[in-house]
């Protein structure tokens, strides 16, 4: 474990284990990555509840600097301080795209067998802008911001992702029948940007209908692009669709950096027991490997995870097994 940036390594990876099971699944994932013959230099940074207690800062400037200087960042989880850590990091690094793949794996509680889509969520505006929310004499008001620049950027990202990953369709999700101006604009931009991608099918749905279709016909989706709040809600629905939080990775992508993290949090109820499922963190590492064009290693790790789930002999409690995090880690290494 190195703390120095070296010139010899191909990539510098910022590693922020964070709180609770974050540090457990991170340790497991780094152990697995160390068995993949990668030319990575890992630079560890502190953040989260324990860091706040120790240093007085949930996200010290030093940690931001480590992320800024790295080629990519692996992030475990932050507890109560999540908003001060991960939301701030996304803002600092201008990571405008939040990617959440939803895929059904064998021997999980997936509602259907052939689910494989990705949610591309706008990360910088919509309803999630703290200074646009305020108390008023009557109660409180939140302002929903939709700018042409940010929506063009995320919609173009979604179409480009579809093109690069051989997907045939992009679905734009909005509520333009009620939010006629803001989501009307989103819908217009969706089709404007879509014109640049003649080979990709386009469709748009209202967010409420999408919530239903995700249950009734989830296999029909390939790439969903949507605004901040809708993307947040639909991606947790996606997690429920394919069997829970222990399996869902995510990526935050910007022009100057990328951060990969499991969708789950610090899980204080099971922290310290050594029974957390490390797969969501490992699949986040798979996303990072593909982002860094380390495709062979990415596929190798993904295939080992698929094999582990197919064999169903060494699984953690959330997947119906009784294996520990360490046992899953060792089994993955064996399957690599
Ligand atoms: P936080 O406040 O950090 O978000 P939380 O407990 O509210 O923590 P999660 O950490 O997302 O939210 O956990 C929700 C539930 O899912 C918990 O019961 C937790 O034990 C379970 N869970 C989450 N991730 C995993 C995992 N990787 N392995 C096993 N169980 C998990």
């Amino acid at each position: 474990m190195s703390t120095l940036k070296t010139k010899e390594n191909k990539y510098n990876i910022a590693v922020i284990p964070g709180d609770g099971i974050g540090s457990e699944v991170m340790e497991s994932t780094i152990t697995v990555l160390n068995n993949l013959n990668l030319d990575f230099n890992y630079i560890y940074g502190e953040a989260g509840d324990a860091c706040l207690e120790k240093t007085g800062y949930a996200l010290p400037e030093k940690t931001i600097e480590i992320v800024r200087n790295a080629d990519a960042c692996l992030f475990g989880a932050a507890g109560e301080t999540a908003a001060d850590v991960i939301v701030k990091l996304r803002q600092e690094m201008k990571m405008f795209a939040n990617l959440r793949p939803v895929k059904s794996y064998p021997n999980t509680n997936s509602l259907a067998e052939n689910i494989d889509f990705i949610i591309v969520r706008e990360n910088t505006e919509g309803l999630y802008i703290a200074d646009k929310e305020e108390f008023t004499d009557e109660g409180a008001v939140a302002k929903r911001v939709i700018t042409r620049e940010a929506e063009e950027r995320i919609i173009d990202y979604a179409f480009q992702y579809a093109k690069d990953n051989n997907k045939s369709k992009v679905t734009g999700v909005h509520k333009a029948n009620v939010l006629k101006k803001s989501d009307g604009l989103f819908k217009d931009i969706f089709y404007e940007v879509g014109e640049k991608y003649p080979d990709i099918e386009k469709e748009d749905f209202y967010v409420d209908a999408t919530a239903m279709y995700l249950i009734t016909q989830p296999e029909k989706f390939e790439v969903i692009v949507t605004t901040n709040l809708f993307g947040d809600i639909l991606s947790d629905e996606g997690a429920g669709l394919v069997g829970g939080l222990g399996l869902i990775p995510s990526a935050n992508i910007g022009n100057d950096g990328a951060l990969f993290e499991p969708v789950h949090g610090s899980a204080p109820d099971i922290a310290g027991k050594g029974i957390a499922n490390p797969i969501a963190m490992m699949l986040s590492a798979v996303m990072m490997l593909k982002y860094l064009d380390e495709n062979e290693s990415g596929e190798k790790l993904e295939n080992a995870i698929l094999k582990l789930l197919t064999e169903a002999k060494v699984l953690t409690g959330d997947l119906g097994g009784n294996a520990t995090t360490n046992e899953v880690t060792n089994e993955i290494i064996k399957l690599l």
Side-chain angles (χ1 to χ4, degrees), residues 19 21 25 49 77-82 236 244-247 262-271 275-281 316-319 325:
D19 299 314
I21 66 165
V25 296
D49 298 0
E80 297 294 315
T81 52
D236 268 30
L245 284 166
L247 294 170
V263 168
H264 65 73
S266 65
D269 55 334
I270 58 163
I275 56 168
N277 185 353
I279 292 180
M281 185 76 240
T316 45
D318 58 313
L319 297 179
T325 311

Side-chain angles (χ1 to χ4, degrees), residues 37 48 106 134 143 155 171 177 215 251 325 333 335:
N37 201 20
E134 61 188 7
K143 197 169 172 186
I155 292 167
T171 308
N177 54 337
I215 305 292
T325 311
I333 291 168
L335 292 171

Side-chain angles (χ1 to χ4, degrees), residues 11-260:
Y11 291 117
N12 289 300
I13 309 297
V15 179
I16 307 177
D19 299 314
I21 66 165
S23 58
E24 299 170 41
V25 296
M26 184 67 82
E27 191 185 337
S28 155
T29 300
I30 298 291
T31 306
V32 164
L33 289 176
N34 281 335
N35 278 269
L36 274 171
N37 201 20
L38 292 159
D39 191 13
F40 285 178
N41 178 39
Y42 298 107
I43 306 122
Y44 280 69
E46 287 182 299
D49 298 0
C51 179
L52 173 68
E53 209 162 289
K54 186 175 140 193
T55 67
Y57 299 95
L59 180 66
E61 191 55 39
K62 190 175 159 205
T63 304
I64 299 176
E65 225 21 64
I66 289 172
V67 178
R68 209 172 269 140
N69 289 325
D71 296 293
C73 173
L74 281 174
F75 183 87
E80 297 294 315
T81 52
D84 300 324
V85 175
I86 193 68
V87 176
K88 196 163 168 215
L89 263 178
R90 284 175 188 155
Q91 283 166 354
E92 285 282 335
M93 299 298 297
K94 298 188 177 62
M95 296 178 193
F96 62 86
N98 187 209
L99 310 186
R100 294 194 176 180
V102 178
K103 191 168 173 178
S104 48
Y105 287 101
N107 296 309
T108 57
N109 286 328
S110 187
L111 287 189
E113 273 175 15
N114 44 355
I115 300 172
D116 187 4
F117 63 87
I118 188 160
I119 297 177
V120 179
R121 164 191 172 199
E122 208 291 320
N123 232 1
T124 66
E125 57 179 29
L127 263 171
Y128 283 17
I129 307 177
D131 63 4
K132 299 283 181 212
E133 194 183 23
E134 61 188 7
F135 288 112
T136 62
D137 291 343
E138 292 80 27
V141 175
K143 197 169 172 186
R144 185 167 182 268
V145 177
I146 298 291
T147 65
R148 180 166 272 279
E149 187 187 356
E151 302 307 327
E152 273 179 3
R153 185 174 57 186
I154 196 70
I155 292 167
D156 191 67
Y157 188 92
F159 275 104
Q160 194 59 46
Y161 179 93
K163 195 174 165 190
D164 295 344
N165 292 276
N166 296 320
K167 304 282 185 185
S168 61
K169 184 173 69 175
V170 177
T171 308
V173 174
H174 56 79
K175 188 68 182 167
N177 54 337
V178 177
L179 301 165
K180 291 198 167 93
K181 290 180 180 149
S182 56
D183 268 9
L185 180 63
F186 175 89
K187 185 177 164 185
D188 289 348
I189 296 172
F190 175 75
Y191 284 104
E192 273 170 42
V193 173
E195 276 179 24
K196 286 197 325 199
Y197 300 87
D199 298 336
I200 296 173
E201 194 190 329
K202 296 123 201 128
E203 69 181 4
D204 71 285
F205 292 135
Y206 297 135
V207 63
D208 43 352
T210 308
M212 182 183 73
Y213 296 148
L214 282 181
I215 305 292
T216 56
Q217 37 191 309
E219 60 286 330
K220 293 216 165 149
F221 291 97
E222 294 184 49
V223 177
I224 291 175
V225 61
T226 189
T227 48
N228 208 337
L229 176 67
F230 296 161
D232 195 12
I233 297 169
L234 292 180
S235 45
D236 268 30
E237 186 182 355
L241 255 184
V242 295
L245 284 166
L247 294 170
I248 312 284
S250 78
N252 296 279
I253 312 273
N255 292 330
D256 301 318
L259 180 148
F260 301 83

